[in-house]
Amino acid sequence: MTDQERVQAISSVSTDTIPPEFIRPETEQPGLTTFEDRAGEVPVVDFSNPDEKTLVGFIADASSRWGLFQVVNHKIPSEVITKLQQVGREFFELPQEEKRVYAKPAGSKSVEGYGTKLAKEMEGKKGWVDHLFHKIWPPSAINYQFWPKNPPSYREANKDYAKHLHGVVSKLLRTLSLGLGLEGDELKKAVGGEDLVYNLKINYYPPCPRPDLALGVPAHTDMSALTILVPNDVQGLQAFQDGQWYDVKYIPNALIIHIGDQIEIVSNGKYKAVLHRSTVNKDKTRMSWPVFLEPPPDLVVGPHPKPLSEENPPKYKTKKFSDYVYCKLNKIPQ
């Protein structure tokens, strides 16, 4: 991919129009399809609530209805999140030739690296976004080829964030497991246990002259088990609920939790993978830092056997996670 095809480069020369491949069909244009009523507020969970039963009920309900919720009082220090955001922003502000060093290799089957295109898009449409992907946990899965050396504190900031995430991940998976009527550790085991892979993506959405016509990332569900997302303060994430697209309101220092496809599968559909998309801003750069918590590639994932019965038969196929990913990225029916 040439540097001219990077969205950041297109944004720097665009004035009042955008190339036609970024214009979404009318059924997807945010200017026509965003629901402005504030009635559909995304649930906000206080993670410091000492009453586990109440916490389990709240998270299970949010995961069943929305597939999305925000977590406050999660014990990750605000300075750790600020540092993660700072080094990510500084990387995207580097000259193009420095970013190019981390480009996704041609023909690579991995998502890791600096790039623009990810999954196949129908009708040749493109998202208004550049990204950097790399794994941050476990250490055996990390390929430092894709970790920027500049800014100099990039690696330290990402390692620190990964370290602080473990507590949030364990508590989320325990709570969701209890909400299914399972033992506290059973859901985590079903999606990979200690081999769960933390795959970080930095999304960079530069200013767009026609935010009413374009999308940063089109509507999708995440193929992960869970996604834990840190946004910047520029509005952009939208969730689909009751036939409408709602803005997910920015809350300083909150973590946005997405239920992904694998948790929907393991829960046999009790928890819903959230359909979501990203909008863009005319004047400001939006950024986000999702960490996709993914089963190891060879792990076989299917509905957990314990809640299954004649009244609740399996609704999903059981398959290796790597096969699931291949089908999803190539738009092959699962």
Side-chain angles (χ1 to χ4, degrees), residues 204-274:
Y204 185 91
Y205 308 95
C208 178
R210 293 300 306 270
D212 55 322
L213 303 179
L215 286 172
V217 178
H220 66 288
T221 59
D222 292 344
M223 52 196 171
S224 58
L226 284 176
T227 302
I228 299 177
L229 181 142
V230 169
N232 72 349
D233 59 355
V234 179
Q235 180 63 50
L237 180 62
Q238 293 188 334
F240 195 70
Q241 166 80 339
D242 297 330
Q244 305 283 357
W245 284 106
Y246 292 92
D247 286 330
V248 178
K249 184 173 70 175
Y250 171 71
I251 299 174
N253 289 317
L255 301 173
I256 302 173
I257 312 300
H258 299 188
I259 299 297
D261 295 346
Q262 308 312 306
I263 292 273
E264 179 172 320
I265 291 167
V266 173
S267 73
N268 204 34
K270 176 175 179 177
Y271 299 145
K272 304 290 190 294
V274 61

Side-chain angles (χ1 to χ4, degrees), residues 4-80:
Q4 284 71 35
E5 290 176 294
R6 301 290 182 205
V7 176
Q8 195 172 359
I10 295 168
S11 171
S12 67
V13 297
S14 293
T15 51
D16 54 0
T17 60
I18 57 175
E21 62 267 28
F22 291 98
I23 299 174
R24 312 304 302 191
E26 286 191 2
T27 53
E28 296 180 41
Q29 290 175 12
L32 297 174
T33 57
T34 298
F35 190 58
E36 300 296 345
D37 191 349
R38 299 305 303 170
E41 292 286 353
V42 172
V44 179
V45 178
D46 183 348
F47 229 35
S48 66
N49 189 328
D51 185 343
E52 185 174 65
K53 187 176 179 182
T54 300
L55 195 61
V56 167
F58 200 95
I59 287 178
D61 179 66
S63 302
S64 302
R65 289 191 306 112
W66 278 88
L68 182 84
F69 51 95
Q70 302 206 54
V71 166
V72 295
N73 297 323
H74 44 68
K75 295 187 177 176
I76 299 181
S78 59
E79 57 268 23
V80 171

Side-chain angles (χ1 to χ4, degrees), residues 72-115:
V72 295
N73 297 323
H74 44 68
K75 295 187 177 176
I76 299 181
S78 59
E79 57 268 23
V80 171
I81 292 176
T82 298
K83 191 69 178 171
L84 176 82
Q85 293 174 307
Q86 178 186 331
V87 296
R89 187 172 61 250
E90 287 175 3
F91 169 76
F92 277 93
E93 289 170 354
L94 292 173
Q96 199 64 38
E97 58 270 18
E98 286 196 56
K99 294 197 288 280
R100 196 188 307 134
V101 172
Y102 304 98
K104 179 181 170 182
S108 172
K109 292 182 180 177
S110 168
V111 297
E112 287 191 277
Y114 169 62

Side-chain angles (χ1 to χ4, degrees), residues 47 59 69 71 74-76 136-137 161-177 184-185 187-189 191-199 225-229 255 257 263 291-294:
F47 229 35
I59 287 178
F69 51 95
V71 166
H74 44 68
K75 295 187 177 176
I76 299 181
I136 59 173
W137 191 264
Y161 181 61
K163 181 181 72 179
H164 281 89
L165 265 185
H166 297 322
V168 175
V169 171
S170 293
K171 190 168 182 177
L172 280 172
L173 289 172
R174 173 180 167 79
T175 306
L176 288 164
S177 194
D185 62 346
L187 185 61
K188 185 173 182 178
K189 285 180 183 174
V191 295
E194 296 308 314
D195 295 323
L196 198 65
V197 176
Y198 295 28
N199 205 350
L226 284 176
T227 302
I228 299 177
L229 181 142
L255 301 173
I257 312 300
I263 292 273
V291 171
F292 303 99
L293 303 171
E294 299 178 347

